[in-house]
Coordinates of all heavy atoms in Angstrom, one line a residue:
M293 N -11.8 -4.8 4.4 CA -11.0 -6.1 4.5 C -9.7 -6.0 3.8 O -8.8 -6.8 3.9 CB -11.8 -7.3 4.0 CG -13.0 -7.7 4.8 SD -12.5 -8.2 6.5 CE -11.6 -9.7 6.0
N294 N -9.6 -5.0 2.9 CA -8.4 -4.8 2.1 C -7.3 -4.2 2.9 O -7.5 -3.1 3.5 CB -8.7 -4.0 0.9 CG -7.6 -4.0 -0.2 OD1 -6.5 -3.8 0.2 ND2 -8.0 -4.1 -1.4
P295 N -6.1 -4.8 3.0 CA -5.1 -4.2 3.8 C -4.7 -2.8 3.4 O -4.2 -2.0 4.3 CB -3.9 -5.2 3.7 CG -4.2 -6.1 2.5 CD -5.7 -6.1 2.3
S296 N -4.9 -2.5 2.2 CA -4.6 -1.1 1.8 C -5.4 -0.1 2.5 O -4.9 1.0 2.9 CB -4.9 -1.0 0.3 OG -5.0 0.4 -0.1
S297 N -6.7 -0.4 2.8 CA -7.5 0.7 3.5 C -7.0 0.8 5.0 O -6.9 2.0 5.5 CB -9.0 0.3 3.5 OG -9.3 -0.8 4.3
T298 N -6.6 -0.3 5.6 CA -6.1 -0.2 7.0 C -4.8 0.6 6.9 O -4.6 1.5 7.8 CB -5.7 -1.6 7.5 OG1 -6.8 -2.4 7.2 CG2 -5.5 -1.5 9.0
A299 N -3.9 0.4 5.9 CA -2.7 1.1 5.9 C -2.8 2.6 5.6 O -2.2 3.4 6.1 CB -1.8 0.4 4.7
M300 N -3.8 2.9 4.7 CA -4.0 4.3 4.4 C -4.6 5.0 5.6 O -4.2 6.2 5.9 CB -5.0 4.4 3.2 CG -4.3 4.2 1.9 SD -5.4 4.4 0.4 CE -5.4 6.2 0.2
I301 N -5.6 4.4 6.3 CA -6.1 5.1 7.5 C -5.0 5.3 8.5 O -4.9 6.4 9.1 CB -7.3 4.3 8.1 CG1 -8.5 4.2 7.1 CG2 -7.7 4.8 9.4 CD1 -9.6 3.4 7.6
R302 N -4.2 4.3 8.7 CA -3.2 4.4 9.7 C -2.2 5.6 9.4 O -1.9 6.4 10.2 CB -2.4 3.1 9.7 CG -1.3 3.0 10.8 CD -0.7 1.6 10.7 NE 0.0 1.4 9.5 CZ 0.1 0.2 8.9 NH1 -0.4 -0.9 9.5 NH2 0.7 0.1 7.7
S303 N -1.7 5.6 8.1 CA -0.7 6.7 7.8 C -1.4 8.0 7.5 O -0.9 9.0 8.0 CB 0.1 6.3 6.6 OG 1.0 5.2 6.9
L304 N -2.4 8.0 6.7 CA -2.9 9.3 6.3 C -3.8 10.0 7.3 O -4.1 11.2 7.2 CB -3.7 9.2 5.0 CG -2.8 8.8 3.8 CD1 -3.7 8.5 2.6 CD2 -1.9 10.0 3.5
F305 N -4.3 9.2 8.3 CA -5.1 9.9 9.3 C -4.5 9.7 10.7 O -4.1 10.7 11.3 CB -6.6 9.3 9.2 CG -7.5 9.9 10.3 CD1 -8.0 11.2 10.1 CD2 -7.8 9.2 11.4 CE1 -8.8 11.7 11.1 CE2 -8.6 9.8 12.4 CZ -9.1 11.0 12.2
I306 N -4.5 8.5 11.2 CA -4.1 8.3 12.6 C -2.7 8.8 12.9 O -2.4 9.7 13.8 CB -4.3 6.9 13.0 CG1 -5.8 6.5 12.9 CG2 -3.8 6.6 14.5 CD1 -6.1 5.0 13.0
N307 N -1.7 8.3 12.1 CA -0.3 8.7 12.4 C 0.0 10.1 12.0 O 0.8 10.8 12.6 CB 0.6 7.6 11.8 CG 0.5 6.3 12.5 OD1 -0.1 6.2 13.6 ND2 1.0 5.2 11.9
K308 N -0.5 10.5 10.9 CA -0.3 11.9 10.5 C -0.7 12.9 11.6 O 0.0 13.8 11.9 CB -1.1 12.1 9.2 CG -1.0 13.6 8.6 CD -1.7 13.6 7.3 CE -1.8 15.0 6.7 NZ -2.8 15.8 7.4
E309 N -1.9 12.6 12.1 CA -2.4 13.5 13.1 C -1.6 13.4 14.4 O -1.3 14.4 15.0 CB -3.9 13.1 13.5 CG -4.6 14.1 14.2 CD -6.1 13.7 14.4 OE1 -6.9 14.0 13.4 OE2 -6.5 13.1 15.4
A310 N -1.1 12.2 14.7 CA -0.3 12.0 15.9 C 1.0 12.8 15.8 O 1.5 13.5 16.7 CB 0.0 10.5 16.1
L311 N 1.6 12.8 14.6 CA 2.8 13.5 14.4 C 2.6 15.0 14.4 O 3.4 15.8 15.0 CB 3.5 13.2 13.0 CG 3.9 11.7 12.8 CD1 4.5 11.5 11.4 CD2 4.9 11.3 13.9
E312 N 1.5 15.5 13.9 CA 1.1 16.9 13.9 C 0.9 17.4 15.3 O 1.2 18.5 15.7 CB -0.1 17.2 13.0 CG 0.2 17.1 11.6 CD -1.0 17.0 10.7 OE1 -2.1 16.9 11.2 OE2 -0.8 16.9 9.4
K313 N 0.4 16.5 16.2 CA 0.1 16.9 17.6 C 1.4 16.7 18.4 O 1.3 16.9 19.6 CB -1.0 16.0 18.1 CG -2.4 16.4 17.6 CD -3.5 15.8 18.3 CE -4.8 16.4 17.9 NZ -5.9 15.4 18.0
G314 N 2.5 16.4 17.8 CA 3.7 16.3 18.6 C 4.0 15.0 19.2 O 4.6 15.0 20.3
A315 N 3.7 13.9 18.5 CA 4.0 12.6 19.1 C 5.5 12.4 19.5 O 5.8 11.8 20.5 CB 3.7 11.5 18.1
N316 N 6.4 13.0 18.8 CA 7.8 12.9 19.1 C 8.4 14.2 19.6 O 9.6 14.4 19.5 CB 8.6 12.3 17.9 CG 8.1 10.9 17.6 OD1 7.8 10.1 18.5 ND2 8.1 10.6 16.3
R317 N 7.6 15.1 20.2 CA 8.1 16.3 20.7 C 8.7 16.2 22.1 O 8.1 15.6 23.0 CB 7.0 17.4 20.8 CG 7.4 18.8 21.1 CD 6.2 19.6 21.3 NE 6.5 21.0 21.6 CZ 7.0 21.5 22.7 NH1 7.1 20.7 23.8 NH2 7.3 22.8 22.9

Side-chain angles (χ1 to χ4, degrees):
M293 289 299 293
N294 190 313
S296 162
S297 70
T298 317
M300 280 180 82
I301 291 175
R302 185 178 59 212
S303 288
L304 291 172
F305 179 76
I306 298 171
N307 291 343
K308 177 174 171 287
E309 197 173 274
L311 298 179
E312 285 162 0
K313 286 192 172 152
N316 293 327
R317 186 185 184 281

